[in-house]
Amino acid sequence: MNRLSDSEGSYWRETAALPSFPSLTEAAATDVAVIGAGIAGLSTAWELARAGLDVVVLEAGRLAGGVTGHTTGKLTALHPRAYDTLRTEHGDEAAGLYAASQSAALRRVVEVAEELGIDCALERRPALTYCRRPEGVAALRAEAEAARAAGLDASFVTETGLPFPVAGAVRVEDQAQFHPLAYLRGLVDDIVALGGRIHEGTRVVELDRGDPCRLGTDTGGSVSARHVVVATHHPVFDRTLLATRLSQHRDLVIAGPLPAPRDPDGMYITEEDGKRSVRTAPLPDGRRLLIVTGEAFRPGTGEDTEAGYARLRDWTERHFPDVTITHRWAAQDNSSTDTLPLIGRMPAGGGNVHVATGFAGWGMTGGVVAGSVIAALVRGEREPWAGLYAPGRLGPLLRSAPALLKEQWETGRHFVGDRLETFGDGTGGPVRDLRPGEGTVVRGRGGPCAVHRDDRGGLHAVSAVCTHLGCLVAFNNAERTWECPCHGSRFDVDGAVLQGPALSPLERRDPEES
């Protein structure tokens, strides 16, 4: 398989034909400024524009160029081990509200697609969480019972459409899958038709929580807004330290055409073997696009990502021998320490600033939930499940204290330990030993230095200190990016920000001084 960068590899981005919008270079005023043009940001902007509010959307890169553009496109209320955990840790009411909100989001996408006439390859399919090992059956039986109690049409089954036997599975009927960017294209067109303004290539670098709020950008433009929505995956401008309640992970994705008779006819996921997720999508020639996800890892830990892709490909070709792999990409997600997304008004003096984050890999329904919850709050209303997701919730936070402490220990370990490892025993490796396509972190004259050798032998050197909070980055050898293990910021080989919370690029360095 030829190496593909994540922006080149996403099937959704390749086939979406999204429009382009200019950067913001002037002063603007609006009712609501939405930072981030993924499904959470655009769903919120659309709900507000439909309610008659003036909306400005600011996107640092391209529309849906982050997490949303690299998803698997599942719309389901069945999430692995969610309901038994929710019932145990948060109670029956919380589990019921979660099921109701996620199901409402699925219905909302179906309704909006029909109302706007969006052709987004939406298909109704069952969703299944399965295990192949007998020791996993008891947990899945408990999950099926908890999901039923929460209001889902869930059952425990032992037969699936997968080309291999399973020990058991939780099955929920009438879920959905779609082309996420084709759907968002429809939202974007309607937002513009309703008078909304969208600006790409516009990174917000300053946020003044006044009345009105004021936003400064890296393109010279500014926005004055009564309300602000931070829908940037990781919460930038995070005065309340929500980031301490989030952990980051990336999943690898491969995809390729599969003969239609081999379609497993469903959306499948297991937490075994480093996670495996399977679904298909229709192709114009009548075949199906098989999409397989797995090999989850924490960004910035120096994982051999190419080896992960190889394992994922081997698994796919072993179970689906008729598939031809044509695409690969990777997606980044974050999870809160109490397992629930953080959606709503920023706590502790956030004022009219709202946030949507922590979707734990289920951002398609989670982003639509965020749109409805935040749009209601801006209008002075309240969704029945708003309290479940409120970022300032205290009870669940106290119950998740062990997970919170574990996450902060992991962050601290990287902040201190990576420096000792890299500079204490020289495990970063000398620059002269770098082969084309490789990267390493070394001690430079100006401090820690991240060096990459490109395919032509040229060296690219930048500071290895993440501009967010100062952790050391590590190299991702498949995507050829520098990644921070503490909060998931990502940079290209020349230091440009690919993914926040970092707002500033890594400082350029002279390769001769590294």
Side-chain angles (χ1 to χ4, degrees):
M1 181 190 302
N2 294 328
R3 189 190 69 83
L4 297 173
S5 72
D6 57 354
S7 61
E8 294 171 326
S10 167
Y11 173 79
W12 312 124
R13 292 194 58 76
E14 179 183 289
T15 57
L18 292 172
S20 297
F21 294 94
S23 300
L24 178 67
T25 57
E26 301 176 346
T30 187
D31 293 324
V32 186
V34 178
I35 310 173
I39 192 167
L42 290 174
S43 294
T44 305
W46 183 80
E47 296 283 359
L48 291 168
R50 294 284 281 191
L53 279 75
D54 186 44
V55 177
V56 171
V57 179
L58 304 172
E59 167 57 47
R62 287 276 287 127
L63 292 178
V67 178
T68 300
H70 299 85
T71 177
T72 53
K74 295 180 180 180
L75 291 162
T76 174
L78 180 65
H79 306 158
R81 303 289 298 276
Y83 293 97
D84 194 34
T85 299
L86 282 168
R87 182 171 64 175
T88 301
E89 297 186 2
H90 304 293
D92 291 337
E93 182 181 3
L97 286 171
Y98 187 84
S101 63
Q102 300 293 314
S103 298
L106 191 162
R107 292 193 300 273
R108 186 61 166 159
V109 171
V110 175
E111 292 166 359
V112 171
E114 182 176 350
E115 177 185 346
L116 300 182
I118 303 173
D119 181 5
C120 57
L122 195 148
E123 301 174 315
R124 304 309 290 257
R125 290 287 188 276
L128 298 94
T129 301
Y130 71 92
C131 70
R132 302 189 68 183
R133 301 184 187 120
E135 56 266 31
V137 168
L140 289 186
R141 287 188 181 278
E143 180 67 11
E145 193 280 325
R148 279 196 304 273
L152 298 183
D153 180 15
S155 59
F156 178 83
V157 300
T158 56
E159 297 292 331
T160 74
L162 290 168
F164 49 78
V166 302
V170 183
R171 180 182 176 113
V172 173
E173 305 295 340
D174 205 27
Q175 303 301 283
Q177 56 191 27
F178 70 151
H179 189 310
L181 300 200
Y183 174 75
L184 291 186
R185 169 66 189 260
L187 290 192
V188 166
D189 289 345
D190 204 44
I191 290 169
V192 173
L194 292 166
R197 291 163 283 171
I198 299 175
H199 295 281
E200 296 178 299
T202 303
R203 186 178 300 278
V204 178
V205 294
E206 297 177 9
L207 172 57
D208 178 4
R209 293 169 171 79
D211 187 14
C213 299
R214 298 190 183 278
L215 292 76
T217 72
D218 64 352
T219 55
S222 63
V223 178
S224 172
R226 290 171 42 226
H227 297 270
V228 173
V229 179
V230 180
T232 53
H233 173 65
H234 199 289
V236 295
F237 312 112
D238 181 15
R239 291 181 180 176
T240 57
L241 299 181
L242 291 180
T244 62
R245 297 162 58 184
L246 296 169
S247 61
Q248 305 286 328
H249 71 274
R250 287 183 73 74
D251 289 306
L252 305 182
V253 187
I254 61 174
L258 183 76
R262 302 293 187 184
D263 185 357
D265 191 27
M267 300 176 289
Y268 300 87
I269 191 166
T270 181
E271 294 179 311
E272 295 176 344
D273 301 320
K275 182 180 174 182
R276 292 292 184 265
S277 170
V278 176
R279 66 155 284 199
T280 66
L283 289 172
D285 63 5
R287 293 181 296 174
R288 305 289 296 183
L289 182 75
L290 179 71
I291 304 168
V292 180
T293 310
E295 297 299 319
F297 65 97
R298 184 179 178 121
T301 53
E303 294 275 346
D304 186 348
T305 320
E306 284 289 1
Y309 273 120
R311 289 190 295 271
L312 195 61
R313 181 172 184 165
D314 288 346
W315 184 92
T316 301
E317 293 179 341
R318 183 166 66 253
H319 296 298
F320 297 90
D322 295 325
V323 72
T324 301
I325 305 300
T326 56
H327 294 75
R328 72 175 188 174
W329 65 91
Q332 186 154 314
D333 289 298
N334 56 29
S335 306
S336 73
T337 51
D338 69 358
T339 73
L340 291 167
L342 305 170
I343 302 170
R345 185 169 284 109
M346 280 276 199
N352 289 333
V353 178
H354 304 77
V355 67
T357 188
F359 298 124
W362 300 100
M364 295 300 97
T365 49
V368 177
V369 169
S372 65
V373 167
I374 294 175
L377 290 173
V378 170
R379 298 193 306 265
E381 303 167 4
R382 186 177 176 86
E383 292 279 19
W385 38 76
L388 179 71
Y389 298 115
R393 57 187 184 260
L394 291 178
L397 176 60
L398 294 175
R399 288 193 293 273
S400 66
L404 177 64
L405 291 174
K406 179 181 178 182
E407 179 61 26
Q408 292 317 298
W409 179 87
E410 186 71 17
T411 298
R413 183 179 71 83
H414 281 291
F415 187 85
V416 177
D418 288 354
R419 284 166 167 77
L420 295 177
E421 178 180 327
T422 300
F423 306 121
D425 61 10
T427 53
V431 172
R432 65 177 178 273
D433 291 344
L434 280 180
R435 293 176 295 182
E438 294 182 340
T440 188
V441 175
V442 298
R443 185 191 298 277
R445 293 181 186 175
C449 189
V451 186
H452 164 68
R453 190 181 298 280
D454 63 31
D455 289 334
R456 294 179 295 180
L459 292 176
H460 302 248
V462 293
S463 169
V465 179
C466 179
T467 55
H468 177 226
L469 290 178
C471 294
L472 292 190
V473 298
F475 193 63
N476 178 325
N477 65 346
E479 300 175 84
R480 299 195 184 182
T481 53
W482 296 107
E483 299 175 349
C484 176
C486 293
H487 302 103
S489 294
R490 301 176 64 240
F491 308 85
D492 71 14
V493 294
D494 291 316
V497 178
L498 297 175
Q499 193 156 3
L503 297 176
S504 303
L506 299 176
E507 181 184 349
R508 293 283 191 101
R509 293 286 178 80
D510 184 348
E512 299 301 322
E513 296 183 358
S514 55

